[in-house]
Amino acid sequence: MKNRAIKEEGASQNTVAALPVGGLRGDVAVPGDKSISHRSVIFGSIADGVTEVDNFLEGEDCLSTFAAFRAMGVEIERPSPSRLRIHGVGLKGLTEPGDVIDARNSGTTARLLTGLLSAQPFFTVVTGDASLRKRPMKRVVDPLLRMGASISGRKGSTLLPIAIMGRRLTGTDHSIIIASAQLKSAILLAGLYAQGQTSVHEPGMSRDHTERMMQLFGADIKTEDKAVRVKQAKSLRACAITVPGDISSAAFLMVGAMITRSSSLLIRDVGVNPTRTGIIKILQKMGARIETINTREVSGEPVADIRVKSEHLACTDISGSDLLPAIDEFPIICVAAAFADGTTTISGAKELRLKESDRIAVMADCLKKLGISVEEKEDGIRIEGRGGDPLQGVKKVKGGVTIESHGDHRIAMSMAVAALNTAKGVTIEGADAVDVSFPGFFSLLSRIGVQ
Ligand code: S3P
C-alpha cells in the first residue's frame, strides 16, 4: 500500500509537511532508550575494562555525552552507528578536557556530568545551546555544594555555563523536593566518589536507570522506599549492555496508531521499566487496549513487545503522580486527549515548563492552531477532545496549519502524530529537532503509514 505520511518541503529538511493517513501498520522497532544510552557511556567510561554497548541511540543528545567522554580521554570505538566499544579508564582515569564541554540540547548530559565532574581532580566548564542555557541548574548545584563541590556559574550558579573545580567530596544525605532522575543521578554519581555514604530521598520515584546500571557495574547501591543510597566505590567493572527501545519514542507510534482508523502495530523490544510505563497506564485509563507481550529482562532492565490498534479514546484526569512515570510524554498525551471524547485535565505538571521548551505553553498553542479548545493552567492544561463516533472512529481535525517546534524534539513528533488524523496535514518548522532522540522518525512514519 502507498504510504504518504510525510512529505519533505522546501530546500531545508527543517520544514516537513506531515500528512494524514488511514492508519499505522507494521512490525517495527524504535531507537535505543535515550536515558540508558547516556548512562551506558558514563558508566562504561569510568569502569575498568571494555564495555560493549548495543543499540546505542545515535541521537544528538547521547552524542553530546559521547563527545564529552572522548574529550576526557576515553577511547570509544564505534564499529557501527549504534554499537560502542568503550575502553573504560577506571574511576580515577578521566583527564582534563582541553575545551569546554558542550552539552548542546541535552539536560541529561549537563546535569549528570556536573555530578561526576564535581569529584574529578581537574577543571571543567559545562555549557549548552540557547535552550539548555535557560534551564535550571541550581537544583543540581546546591546539593553538590553541600557535598563540598566547587561550582560557579552564571546568575549565581543557577544557569549554564558553569565552571567546576573538582574536589574531594563528603557523603551526604539529601532530601530533594523535586522528583527528578537527572538531579538524583547527579548526586549518585558524585556519591560514587564521596567519602562514606550518600543518600537521596525523592518525593516520588523518578526513573531508576542510574541505580540499575550502577548495580550492573558492581557499585554498592540500594533502594528502600523512596530513598537510594550509594557507598563510595573503589572500582566498577565493565559490562555488556543492550539498550532497549525507548518507550518515550514508542509513545508517538502508540498514540498515532490509536487516533487513526485502521492501525495495527507491533513495536518490538521496548523498555518497560515501571518508572517509565506511565504512558501505558494513562492510555489504558483512556480506554486503550495495549498488550505488552514477551516480557523479559535485558541488561538489568525489563523489555517487552507492545501491540497497539486503533482505539476510541475517552477523556481522563491526570495528576502529577500519574505523570511522573510519563514525564516526557506530556506533549503526546495532549495529542491523545485532543482526539478523545470529553475534557481531559492534566495538573501537577509545572516541571513541564522547564523542559526543552515550555511544553505547557507550546502544546496549548499548537492544539489551538488545530482548532482544539484548550485552557492553559499554571501547572497543567485542560483539553476539550474532538472525540467522534465509536463506530466511525476519531474525528479528523482540519489541519493545514504551520507550527514551530521551538527546537523541541517531542513537540515536533507530537504534532506530526496529530497530523495523521487531520484533513490537510500539519507543516512543522524546526523539524530536525527530532534527531535529538528519534533519528529516522519521519521516514519510519512514512513507511508504516497506510491509506
Ligand atoms: C531524564 C530525566 C528526566 C527526563 C529527561 C531524561 C534522565 O528529566 O525528562 O528526558 O535521563 O535522567 P528530569 O529528571 O529533570 O525530570
Side-chain angles (χ1 to χ4, degrees):
M1 223 177 291
K2 195 168 170 281
N3 301 328
R4 54 173 211 118
I6 299 301
K7 185 180 91 192
E8 271 169 22
E9 264 196 355
S12 135
Q13 295 213 341
N14 217 5
T15 301
V16 164
L19 301 173
V21 298
L24 298 182
R25 298 183 78 88
D27 181 339
V28 296
V30 289
D33 186 277
K34 178 158 81 71
S35 294
I36 299 174
S37 294
H38 280 294
R39 286 154 175 85
S40 70
V41 174
I42 297 174
F43 290 107
S45 294
I46 58 172
D48 291 328
V50 177
T51 289
E52 304 265 0
V53 184
D54 204 8
N55 202 33
F56 175 75
L57 169 64
E58 36 169 334
E60 294 297 324
D61 269 22
C62 299
L63 293 175
S64 296
T65 296
F66 174 91
F69 282 91
R70 270 198 168 163
M72 290 191 282
V74 183
E75 186 193 341
I76 311 178
E77 293 172 75
R78 220 169 147 201
S80 74
S82 62
R83 291 203 59 205
L84 303 183
R85 192 171 300 125
I86 307 169
H87 297 263
V89 295
L91 283 167
K92 295 190 173 153
L94 298 174
T95 54
E96 186 173 272
D99 201 349
V100 299
I101 290 179
D102 188 355
R104 299 186 292 169
N105 196 240
S106 174
T108 305
T109 308
R111 297 200 175 114
L112 270 58
L113 259 59
T114 298
L116 181 75
L117 294 169
S118 293
Q120 305 306 313
F122 52 74
F123 175 76
T124 36
V125 175
V126 180
T127 191
D129 68 8
S131 147
L132 192 56
R133 291 198 308 273
K134 283 191 209 130
R135 296 178 63 190
M137 286 300 288
K138 183 174 162 60
R139 55 180 65 187
V140 178
V141 170
D142 281 353
L144 294 170
L145 293 180
R146 288 183 53 223
M147 296 174 79
S150 166
I151 306 173
S152 40
R154 211 157 54 87
K155 301 256 185 231
S157 306
T158 62
L159 295 176
L160 296 174
I162 56 168
I164 306 166
M165 187 58 239
R167 288 252 189 101
R168 261 179 210 279
L169 305 179
T170 310
T172 311
D173 296 329
H174 303 266
S175 210
I176 57 178
I177 53 167
I178 313 155
S180 156
Q182 293 180 351
L183 166 51
K184 173 176 65 177
S185 303
I187 297 171
L188 293 175
L189 279 161
L192 274 182
Y193 291 83
Q195 206 174 28
Q197 178 176 300
T198 297
S199 71
V200 188
H201 186 280
E202 284 191 287
M205 178 80 172
S206 66
R207 64 189 66 188
D208 65 354
H209 306 300
T210 297
E211 295 92 305
R212 285 173 186 259
M213 207 176 281
M214 275 192 177
Q215 204 150 33
L216 206 63
F217 278 80
D220 185 346
I221 180 159
K222 278 208 172 59
T223 304
E224 267 154 26
D225 199 12
K226 285 176 191 156
V228 194
R229 65 132 195 84
V230 66
K231 288 193 178 153
Q232 182 176 29
K234 286 204 176 66
S235 62
L236 299 179
R237 51 161 197 269
C239 283
I241 296 170
T242 300
V243 179
D246 198 325
I247 189 164
S248 295
S249 298
F252 298 107
L253 306 184
M254 284 155 62
V255 173
M258 277 163 206
I259 64 166
T260 46
R261 196 172 12 89
S262 59
S263 300
S264 176
L265 207 53
L266 180 66
I267 315 171
R268 289 189 192 269
D269 307 324
V270 182
V272 287
N273 178 318
T275 61
R276 298 286 301 283
T277 46
I279 181 66
I280 297 184
K281 294 212 177 86
I282 289 168
L283 291 172
Q284 282 171 337
K285 226 171 113 190
M286 296 174 84
R289 283 163 301 156
I290 303 175
E291 259 186 286
T292 48
I293 51 177
N294 190 20
T295 307
R296 64 249 182 226
E297 188 158 313
V298 179
S299 309
E301 291 279 349
V303 175
D305 302 333
I306 297 179
R307 208 192 289 279
V308 282
K309 293 203 159 107
S310 309
E311 200 68 69
H312 196 84
L313 298 173
C315 58
T316 187
D317 288 334
I318 300 167
S319 68
S321 55
D322 296 327
L323 202 61
L324 180 58
I327 186 80
D328 290 336
E329 280 61 84
F330 174 84
I332 196 62
I333 292 168
C334 289
V335 171
F339 290 97
D341 249 337
T343 303
T344 292
T345 54
I346 305 179
S347 54
K350 241 166 125 176
E351 270 297 288
L352 274 307
R353 294 199 179 273
L354 303 171
K355 293 289 179 190
E356 287 84 330
S357 66
D358 176 343
R359 287 184 173 159
I360 298 178
V362 174
M363 279 313 293
D365 196 44
C366 286
L367 292 182
K368 280 182 197 159
K369 283 195 168 154
L370 287 178
I372 309 286
S373 176
V374 175
E375 190 189 335
E376 186 184 335
K377 312 232 179 202
E378 182 48 33
D379 74 335
I381 199 165
R382 194 166 167 278
I383 299 168
E384 278 178 39
R386 264 315 177 90
D389 175 343
L391 295 175
Q392 300 288 321
V394 192
K395 263 193 202 152
K396 276 188 177 14
V397 297
K398 225 166 89 209
V401 298
T402 298
I403 68 96
E404 166 54 50
S405 75
H406 294 262
D408 185 333
H409 52 135
R410 302 200 200 280
I411 300 291
M413 290 187 275
S414 295
M415 293 315 289
V417 168
L420 299 176
N421 198 19
T422 53
K424 293 189 188 151
V426 174
T427 299
I428 299 161
E429 284 180 351
D432 62 354
V434 305
D435 291 344
V436 158
S437 65
F438 200 156
F441 169 76
F442 290 115
S443 50
L444 175 64
L445 212 53
S446 239
R447 194 152 52 77
I448 62 178
V450 296
Q451 289 316 301

